[in-house]
Amino acid sequence: MSKLRSRLVRSLSAGTAFATLTVGLAACGSSSTSTTAASGDAPGGTVTVGALSNGAATQTGITVSEVASIRAELPASVVKSGQLVIGVGALPAGFAPLAYVGSDQRTLTGSEPDLGRLVAAVLGLKPVVNNATWENLFVGIDSGKTDVGFSNITDTEERKKKYEFASYRQDNLAFEVLKSSPWNFNGDYTALADKTVAVGAGTNQEKILLGWQAELQAAGKQLTIKYFPDTNSTYLALSGGKIDAYFGPNPGIAYQVTQDARTSNPVRNAGTFSGAGATLQGLIAATAKKDSGLAKPVADAINYLIENGQYAKWLAAWNLSNEAVSASQVNPPGLPLSNS
């Protein structure tokens, strides 16, 4: 398994499955690359986010203007093309709420392509969204066929050898509990003493949870970790009181909260933790080929969206406001080489 693919699995796998399988959404077709685009494909104007989301988002029209000064930072070749080719690595099954096939069973939707389309509007470019497998997303960036990836890509020092980044979202894990539970996680692992928590095997969150378990055991306290074979088993264990919480990627839990809101056992987010660990806030970043000259204009476009309120509306539409950043950074400190 490649390091790039491994990082996706480590950061997303359990939460992705937990969210996506619950509602039965899957990509239609098995080709390695497909091109899809949601509404709002003209440069500038109103970009509709949260379309066809199957209840995961609040569909919102966001007005965006082209900013000439930021457009002027673009490489001449991109300006000449008149379009921003946005790469998403969501084939074959997608990862709700970030990128997945919408309720029409055809159109790619999700928070990631939506942000790409907002950035394209600021740059005065037509967004062209290419949905590929995770591996082919990077093949497209490497070959120059894709300008920039918006696909929950974690900023790492290993990836900086080949790519440049413009950060736009915190890379967070979270605890999911029943809405009726009074328990919350405030970043202090000692709050997990005497708790039973489910986690996906082989994931980044499992690694963190096992570390906390060892610390608690050294202090004479107990944390019980449970593994379940599938999504339904995990949810049944939570709703039946056999576990206190599920620990997984924050976006997947945000999605689950929307899907279970009207059930007899609604869930909630009980607190987040950086996917990079206690000493570094992990960041998700737009990803372009190294020395392409795209990271800065993309970061400036994101900062324009932050400063003018469109960024907050985008996050709120997808129930991801708890992953907001105060500013987009070009090549910020990433996950170190020892943990990439």
Side-chain angles (χ1 to χ4, degrees):
M1 183 179 291
S2 71
K3 288 185 178 180
L4 294 175
R5 181 61 177 172
S6 175
R7 178 58 186 161
L8 178 71
V9 171
R10 287 165 55 207
S11 64
L12 270 177
S13 59
T16 299
F18 196 64
T20 304
L21 293 178
T22 300
V23 294
L25 291 175
C28 51
S30 59
S31 61
S32 61
T33 304
S34 65
T35 302
T36 56
S39 59
D41 286 344
T46 299
V47 175
T48 302
V49 303
L52 304 168
S53 71
N54 200 54
T58 301
Q59 183 170 312
T60 305
I62 300 178
T63 302
V64 188
S65 300
E66 176 186 332
V67 181
S69 60
I70 301 176
R71 178 182 169 88
E73 300 172 5
L74 289 166
S77 59
V78 176
V79 175
K80 184 177 180 180
S81 73
Q83 61 187 29
L84 185 70
V85 182
I86 299 160
V88 178
L91 288 178
F95 38 95
L98 304 179
Y100 60 106
V101 172
S103 55
D104 65 351
Q105 299 299 308
R106 182 180 67 254
T107 304
L108 183 71
T109 189
S111 62
E112 301 293 84
D114 276 357
L115 180 60
R117 292 164 50 236
L118 287 166
V119 167
V122 175
L123 297 174
L125 299 171
K126 179 179 179 179
V128 176
V129 182
N130 284 348
N131 188 19
T133 62
W134 178 251
E135 292 82 2
N136 282 336
L137 163 64
F138 291 94
V139 171
I141 296 172
D142 293 344
S143 68
K145 293 182 179 179
T146 296
D147 295 317
V148 60
F150 283 87
S151 195
N152 201 56
I153 303 169
T154 300
D155 167 28
T156 76
E157 295 305 311
E158 176 68 26
R159 287 178 178 155
K160 283 178 183 172
K161 296 175 181 178
K162 294 181 64 176
Y163 306 103
E164 58 186 35
F165 296 104
S167 59
Y168 60 84
R169 191 162 50 77
Q170 293 183 12
D171 181 10
N172 284 339
L173 303 170
F175 287 91
E176 179 180 355
V177 300
L178 291 178
K179 194 173 183 179
S180 58
S181 170
W183 182 81
N184 287 290
F185 180 77
N186 62 2
D188 181 359
Y189 71 88
T190 61
L192 292 164
D194 300 322
K195 299 299 181 184
T196 300
V197 181
V199 73
T203 60
N204 187 43
Q205 51 267 27
E206 181 198 28
K207 178 181 176 182
I208 292 171
L209 199 61
L210 288 171
W212 288 335
Q213 183 186 53
E215 293 285 344
L216 287 168
Q217 286 176 343
K221 299 177 181 180
Q222 183 68 28
L223 165 60
T224 302
I225 299 176
K226 294 285 188 179
Y227 301 89
F228 294 93
D230 55 45
T231 299
N232 288 337
S233 297
T234 304
Y235 181 69
L236 286 173
L238 183 61
S239 61
K242 293 182 179 180
I243 59 175
D244 297 299
Y246 162 72
F247 188 40
N250 181 72
I253 288 172
Y255 184 61
Q256 193 67 36
V257 168
T258 67
Q259 297 302 298
D260 291 341
R262 294 179 177 83
T263 68
S264 59
N265 288 300
V267 295
R268 66 178 179 86
N269 189 314
T272 62
F273 188 77
S274 170
T279 60
L280 177 70
Q281 175 58 61
L283 293 171
I284 302 299
T287 304
K289 190 174 182 179
K290 189 174 182 178
D291 299 324
S292 66
L294 281 168
K296 186 178 187 304
V298 168
D300 287 346
I302 295 168
N303 282 325
Y304 173 85
L305 295 169
I306 292 172
E307 292 161 7
N308 290 277
Q310 296 99 331
Y311 172 83
K313 291 179 181 178
W314 160 70
L315 283 175
W318 284 101
N319 197 28
L320 291 172
S321 297
N322 63 356
E323 293 198 336
V325 295
S326 59
S328 176
Q329 304 174 65
V330 175
N331 294 327
L335 202 66
L337 291 172
S338 59
N339 193 27
S340 296

